[in-house]
Amino acid sequence: MNFDPRFSGRKFASVGTRPIRPDGVDKVTGRARYGADFNMAGQLVGRVLRSPHAHAKIRKIDISKAEKLAGVKAVITAKDLPDLTDGDAAMYDILDNCMARTKALYDGHAVAAVAAIDARTARQALKLIEVDYEILPHVTDVDEAMQHHAPLINDTIFTEGLEEKPVKPSNVTKRSQFGHGDVHQGFGHADFIVERSFKTEQTHQGYIEPHACVASVSSDGTADLWVCTQGHFVYRQHCAQLLGMEASKLRVTSSEIGGGFGGKTHVWAEPVALALSRKAGRPVKLVMTRDEVFRASGPTSATSIDVKIGARKDGTITAAEATLRYSAGPYAGSWAEIGAMTAFACYKLDNVKTVGYEVLVNRPKTAAYRAPSAPMAAFAVESAVDELAKELGMDPVDFRIKNAAQEGTRSSYGPVYGPIGIGPTLEAVKNHPHMKAPLKKNQGRGMACGFWFNFGGQTCTDLNIGMDGSVSLAVGTVDVGGSRASLSLVAAEELGIAYEHVKAIVADTSSLGYNDMTDGSRGTFSSSMATISAARNAIRILRERAAQMWDISVDDVVWEQGHAVAKGEKHGNLGRLSLKEIAAESGKTGGPIAGHSELVADGAGVSFATHICDIEVDPETGSTRVIRYTVVQDAGKAVHPTYVEGQYQGGAAQGIGWALNEEYIYGKDGRLQNAGFLDYRIPVCSDLPMIDTQILEIPNPNHPYGVRGVGETSIVPPLAAIANAVSNAAGVRMTHIPMSPPRILAAIEAERGG
Amino acid sequence: MAGIAVSTTINGDTIEYLCQPDETLLDVLRDRLGLTGAKEGCGTGDCGACSIILDNRLVCSCLVLGAEAEGRRIETVEGMAHGDQLHTLQQKFLEHAALQCGICTPGFLIAAKDLLAKNPDPTEEEIRFGLAGNLCRCTGYDKIVRAVQDAAIVMKGA
């Protein structure tokens, strides 16, 4: 029963192959059911009324006219979601974000909701709800929000992490600090020092599927929720807590998910849909519009970062320091803290110090976005590292290789590294043909490194063997990009059977034990660990059954390539029993054969990547074109290499959009001006070249197959790699993301003028 | 309000329905006819997830009214495969892993089908511009372009 998760260095038969994914046919034929593709009998349409103001006191909400409209079955406000959070501040923030209680804190904040017989009636009803607002001064910029005269968003917040307890409330919720050594002394030993300030604008995960759910609360107090989410068990826990239900009474089924990237880790519409259903006594379908997704789900932080790095003439970094300010929306978060932890994680540093500040602003509550907080910190640090290499007259790759963290290095955020991939990705980049490809006029090349922690977490998996010998694998980590394929490969590998005989599904919350959500690149890492454990438990039973069928001791039965084999000369003529043969007899040998696993997947190996890109800049217009792009990343072990490549390419493309185009634009009135895909422009097919990938495999010692998470790291280097390329092409250091044509043109003109 | 009676052809079948004058064809397909293959990603014609072919023309069904389908011929993703035989594009999307979450896939398949019908031998650039009206946030488009290139080769040989 004791599961040994250590890397064993086995030779693989299934893992590492590239079969077609089990959910593929449904997805190319339109049969796959996403959040909005599910309906229930008697279902109503839910819609949400949102604040048009960035910051306003809610004096009164009059729902009487809306309630009287024919076809309206329920109207709710915060009164219908009473505070049951019992002093849990984080849950209270979630509740307040789902439905504003006393103040609207951002343009788009929900203030009321209706359920009606159709969308037209629901829309009409929203217009009949009268909200009396007292408009308050607002602040949307992270630096402005830190000023003493800035409008205060929450007067109960006093900055945590200061040496002296502050006497006045502040928009800064927390100060955090990481590092070791003495940076002051370190800078004293430097021959060259680069010091720069950087800004990045707020971006959205931009998943193509808007948030959608169908909620059905029965009069007996039980409920069902169908929802697109990265974590249905977490949604169940949050919804049950907010609605005062026992978790076991709420069954949450995760639909196919049309992209999440961290943005579907938080409840917004789901408690509202449940409250509407409870009041109306009928199922309610609630689907966000794209405008609502931008205004009222969770984008990433906007940031303002100062970096200082010093090095000796020989290229050794002597000290590194950064101050990082991250916007959190109107509720406390840990975004700057994560940025401060990741900023210098790629390097071996004797003296390093990072300080993070979480800052409240009148924008939507910040949510995770793929390696949350790391890309902005990497942009600032890797830009400064590039500039320092230039001052030293060193090749930027060689400079990084000289200072790269290694096994045994104490990381800038504390832990000592095991075997890691930063050095190997840099060596691979140094030797990559991309580095020798010729550049034309106005083209520049940039490269940058990135780090992400990766996460493991609570995981529960069931592996059931049918009487025909086929295998059903039920996992609880939502499949965001092909994990049912990779987990089927792992089950096939461990059992020694063909991939085709395994069918993986994502089970609902009533069918499986608790699972943390699919975040931290944990889907394949943690559920493969649980799948291996479950398969080993099933193999133990298969061996017992074979022993029973042969009437020998189970100690004499081993499992080899999908068969029970009797070992020892005394059993020489027993032959082998296949999994299928043992399963066929299961009814006579003790009943169904299954393997279960409940574990905390510790030891998610840290992940590193290095990217190279070539950018052409039009000096007349400031417009850019991506000419070449290459991703080199450590996967530990690529279970399904094609989908690993896909993660590398997808993260790079999102990073390209972030670096060059995407940003939330707020007007002076504090309202979001570009809440749609026309004005918030994510990369389209014609914007990008092919994205080359190179998978390195430095086994994670804490996983039986050496697997590391691969989903997030690929978005960490692009902002910096592209900024370095644009800076090289334009001949001026770019310090503000996104590098939209006006910003590039302004930088070029300032350089010419200066 | 009285509904508008519409008779149209969807994936080769004659279909009749009643719809409201302000109802989009996308809503009719999804909510009245149960054809949920076309997805609503934006409702403003920016993402292409609701792409269909209307009388040999690629359109966003969120920008067409249900009433406008009268007497027209509609092709959706549900009509691409012949029985259990996948269309070459569908097969190539699977082989190349040209989908991750898959929400944009029906729109891409329809757009690619329309592209190859009009240009059976497209260059990479022509594919990229031909599919520029469809947003994908997962793949970076690399594997989608390769799947379409591969499908074009197979379909030319057929």
Side-chain angles (χ1 to χ4, degrees):
Chain A
M1 287 297 275
N2 291 331
F3 173 62
D4 180 3
R6 284 174 302 173
F7 176 64
S8 67
R10 67 191 282 156
K11 199 169 176 295
F12 295 109
S14 293
V15 164
T17 62
R18 301 169 183 249
I20 286 174
R21 61 197 285 170
D23 51 319
V25 171
D26 278 356
K27 285 182 173 166
V28 298
T29 53
R31 287 183 208 176
R33 290 197 301 174
Y34 293 82
D37 297 339
F38 179 78
N39 296 296
M40 289 182 76
Q43 166 186 298
L44 302 169
V45 175
R47 284 195 71 90
V48 176
L49 184 69
R50 299 184 180 280
S51 167
H53 306 297
H55 196 192
K57 192 185 268 182
I58 299 168
R59 286 202 197 106
K60 193 178 166 224
I61 303 179
D62 185 350
I63 60 171
S64 57
K65 285 182 191 155
E67 281 183 317
K68 283 181 198 132
L69 182 69
V72 171
K73 303 296 178 186
V75 183
I76 63 164
T77 64
K79 286 179 189 157
D80 298 281
L81 281 163
D83 179 13
L84 306 173
T85 59
D86 198 21
D88 182 337
M91 281 309 292
Y92 182 83
D93 285 351
I94 292 172
L95 175 70
D96 190 61
N97 194 37
C98 285
M99 192 66 80
R101 308 189 75 75
T102 57
K103 287 207 296 182
L105 295 169
Y106 55 93
D107 165 35
H109 198 166
V111 294
V114 303
I117 52 166
D118 55 29
R120 173 205 297 258
T121 310
R123 280 196 298 270
Q124 279 176 339
L126 289 188
K127 289 182 186 157
L128 296 174
I129 298 173
E130 292 168 4
V131 187
D132 181 12
Y133 292 106
E134 178 188 331
I135 296 172
L136 302 171
H138 66 270
V139 60
T140 55
D141 181 79
V142 62
D143 286 324
E144 283 174 24
M146 289 182 77
Q147 304 293 318
H148 292 297
H149 61 265
L152 205 56
I153 291 169
N154 183 340
D155 61 12
T156 68
I157 297 273
F158 293 78
T159 311
E160 281 177 37
L162 300 180
E163 279 180 19
E164 285 182 31
K165 194 173 186 302
V167 290
K168 280 186 176 171
S170 165
N171 288 331
V172 179
T173 63
K174 189 165 67 178
R175 178 191 185 276
S176 48
Q177 185 177 324
F178 298 90
H180 52 254
D182 180 338
V183 287
H184 183 72
Q185 208 170 48
F187 284 120
H189 296 142
D191 297 311
F192 294 92
I193 293 176
V194 163
E195 203 170 355
R196 281 260 185 210
S197 295
F198 301 88
K199 282 202 91 154
T200 69
E201 295 301 328
Q202 186 164 41
T203 56
H204 195 274
Q205 299 84 350
Y207 33 84
I208 308 301
E209 180 199 30
H211 299 262
C213 66
V214 180
S216 176
V217 180
S218 294
S219 53
D220 64 2
T222 62
D224 279 280
L225 179 68
W226 163 274
V227 60
C228 61
T229 170
Q230 289 174 244
H232 46 318
F233 291 91
V234 174
Y235 273 34
R236 175 180 68 168
Q237 203 167 307
H238 287 179
C239 289
Q241 195 176 344
L242 294 181
L243 279 103
M245 299 176 67
E246 281 191 329
S248 62
K249 303 267 171 66
L250 173 59
R251 184 173 71 157
V252 183
T253 306
S254 63
S255 69
E256 292 294 344
I257 178 172
F261 315 109
K264 289 176 183 165
T265 55
H266 305 251
V267 293
W268 282 284
E270 298 75 14
V272 173
L274 285 162
L276 282 170
S277 174
R278 182 168 62 184
K279 195 163 183 180
R282 284 168 67 169
V284 173
K285 183 175 194 170
L286 210 164
V287 182
M288 278 196 191
T289 64
R290 179 55 54 183
D291 175 271
E292 288 178 293
V293 172
F294 276 112
R295 286 168 66 212
S297 65
T300 187
S301 303
T303 72
S304 161
I305 303 173
D306 306 326
V307 176
K308 183 179 178 184
I309 311 177
R312 280 200 294 267
K313 279 180 202 152
D314 70 353
T316 309
I317 296 177
T318 59
E321 188 174 9
T323 304
L324 309 99
R325 306 161 204 94
Y326 280 54
S327 71
Y331 305 102
S334 297
W335 310 110
E337 186 174 353
I338 300 170
M341 289 171 84
T342 62
F344 291 108
C346 292
Y347 298 106
K348 184 178 61 194
L349 301 167
D350 290 334
N351 305 297
V352 57
K353 178 185 172 187
T354 57
V355 176
Y357 294 99
E358 316 288 338
V359 186
L360 299 187
V361 292
N362 292 113
R363 294 183 181 220
K365 178 178 159 74
T366 295
Y369 179 15
R370 204 171 198 158
S373 302
M376 309 81 132
F379 159 60
V381 166
E382 290 292 290
S383 294
V385 164
D386 230 52
E387 203 171 352
L388 189 53
K390 207 162 270 176
E391 290 209 8
L392 288 160
M394 274 184 82
D395 175 81
V397 181
D398 290 336
F399 179 52
R400 286 174 172 87
I401 288 173
K402 188 171 176 67
N403 292 288
Q406 301 160 353
E407 185 168 356
T409 295
R410 185 177 174 198
S411 68
S412 56
Y413 64 98
V416 174
Y417 289 131
I420 55 171
I422 179 66
T425 64
L426 280 162
E427 294 289 349
V429 159
K430 189 175 167 64
N431 297 316
H432 199 283
H434 183 154
M435 293 302 275
K436 296 175 191 76
L439 290 171
K440 296 181 186 157
K441 192 172 176 241
N442 296 325
Q443 294 181 351
R445 177 162 299 147
M447 52 78 58
C449 302
F451 157 87
W452 185 242
F453 308 96
N454 287 342
F455 177 62
Q458 296 188 65
T459 313
C460 180
T461 296
D462 278 355
L463 187 150
N464 292 295
I465 298 174
M467 279 158 64
D468 64 353
S470 67
V471 173
S472 305
L473 182 66
V475 302
T477 47
V478 170
D479 180 354
V480 296
S483 61
R484 274 165 290 186
S486 60
L487 298 174
S488 298
L489 282 169
V490 166
E493 182 74 49
E494 196 65 30
L495 292 169
I497 61 174
Y499 170 79
E500 291 71 26
H501 297 312
V502 182
K503 173 77 176 175
I505 62 143
V506 179
D508 67 60
T509 58
S510 294
S511 307
L512 199 61
Y514 177 83
N515 278 263
D516 284 328
M517 57 179 99
T518 300
D519 63 358
S521 299
R522 81 177 209 96
T524 292
F525 166 75
S526 60
S527 273
S528 69
M529 194 185 275
T531 298
I532 292 166
S533 170
R536 289 180 184 174
N537 288 335
I539 287 168
R540 184 176 48 77
I541 296 168
L542 287 161
R543 284 172 47 232
E544 284 168 5
R545 301 298 176 85
Q548 204 178 323
M549 287 162 75
W550 279 325
D551 198 18
I552 65 174
S553 164
V554 68
D555 295 336
D556 291 345
V557 181
V558 293
W559 192 259
E560 286 176 1
Q561 294 170 346
H563 291 77
V565 179
K567 68 177 181 188
E569 278 183 25
K570 60 182 174 181
H571 304 311
N573 57 358
L574 284 177
R576 310 192 309 165
L577 281 170
S578 70
L579 182 147
K580 194 173 175 174
E581 287 164 334
I582 300 167
E585 296 297 311
S586 60
K588 296 175 203 153
T589 57
I593 301 173
H596 308 284
S597 170
E598 302 86 29
L599 51 79
V600 177
D602 287 328
V606 292
S607 169
F608 291 92
T610 302
H611 290 196
I612 325 165
C613 73
D614 297 350
I615 305 278
E616 184 169 305
V617 177
D618 180 346
E620 302 304 317
T621 63
S623 73
T624 49
R625 200 158 65 89
V626 185
I627 307 296
R628 286 181 205 89
Y629 203 102
T630 301
V631 177
V632 182
Q633 186 177 318
D634 172 21
K637 174 66 197 175
V639 176
H640 191 307
T642 314
Y643 285 100
V644 173
E645 292 163 7
Q647 290 297 322
Y648 291 6
Q649 292 165 334
Q654 286 185 316
I656 290 168
W658 194 341
L660 295 175
N661 288 316
E662 297 175 33
E663 66 178 305
Y664 267 43
I665 298 170
Y666 278 89
K668 284 207 172 80
D669 58 1
R671 300 194 65 182
L672 182 61
Q673 296 186 333
N674 60 333
F677 278 137
L678 188 62
D679 298 315
Y680 183 97
R681 193 177 177 287
I682 71 172
V684 301
C685 200
S686 54
D687 291 331
L688 299 180
M690 292 296 189
I691 297 169
D692 197 9
T693 58
Q694 188 176 342
I695 299 171
L696 303 186
E697 294 185 329
I698 295 128
N700 174 7
N702 307 311
H703 185 284
Y705 295 175
V707 170
R708 295 174 198 265
V710 296
E712 292 168 290
T713 312
S714 53
I715 202 173
V716 183
L719 278 59
I722 295 163
N724 289 335
V726 171
S727 300
N728 288 334
V732 52
R733 175 54 55 182
M734 298 302 299
T735 59
H736 195 161
I737 294 274
M739 295 171 285
S740 54
R743 279 204 189 102
I744 291 177
L745 203 56
I748 291 172
E749 282 172 357
E751 184 78 0
R752 279 183 196 145
Chain B
M1 187 187 321
I4 298 169
V6 175
S7 177
T8 188
T9 303
I10 302 179
N11 299 325
D13 296 326
T14 302
I15 303 288
E16 293 179 346
Y17 57 82
L18 287 176
C19 69
Q20 297 298 325
D22 61 351
E23 204 171 335
T24 68
L25 180 54
L26 176 61
D27 285 343
V28 169
L29 291 172
R30 290 180 55 82
D31 299 339
R32 292 191 184 272
L33 305 177
L35 293 169
T36 54
K39 309 297 180 190
E40 179 164 326
C42 66
T44 50
D46 298 315
C47 78
C50 65
S51 296
I52 59 161
I53 296 172
L54 183 66
D55 287 346
N56 298 320
R57 190 175 159 210
L58 179 69
V59 298
C60 289
S61 59
C62 73
L63 297 183
V64 179
L65 290 172
E68 292 180 275
E70 172 63 35
R72 314 280 287 273
R73 202 162 46 78
I74 294 167
E75 292 173 60
T76 73
V77 71
E78 287 91 346
M80 271 185 85
H82 289 286
D84 62 358
Q85 184 74 39
L86 293 179
H87 188 281
T88 305
L89 276 162
Q90 292 172 314
Q91 186 59 36
K92 291 301 173 191
F93 266 58
L94 292 179
E95 288 172 12
H96 286 267
L99 54 143
Q100 282 174 33
C101 83
I103 192 91
C104 70
T105 306
F108 266 98
L109 287 166
I110 288 289
K113 187 183 177 206
D114 179 70
L115 171 71
L116 295 185
K118 287 162 185 163
N119 180 0
D121 190 17
T123 63
E124 183 189 330
E125 194 176 10
E126 285 167 342
I127 292 172
R128 287 188 178 277
F129 278 89
L131 300 179
N134 293 75
L135 299 180
C136 169
R137 193 59 157 172
C138 293
T139 65
Y141 304 103
D142 183 296
K143 293 184 190 302
I144 293 176
V145 173
R146 290 179 200 277
V148 175
Q149 286 175 322
D150 195 5
I153 291 168
V154 173
M155 286 165 70
K156 263 191 307 178

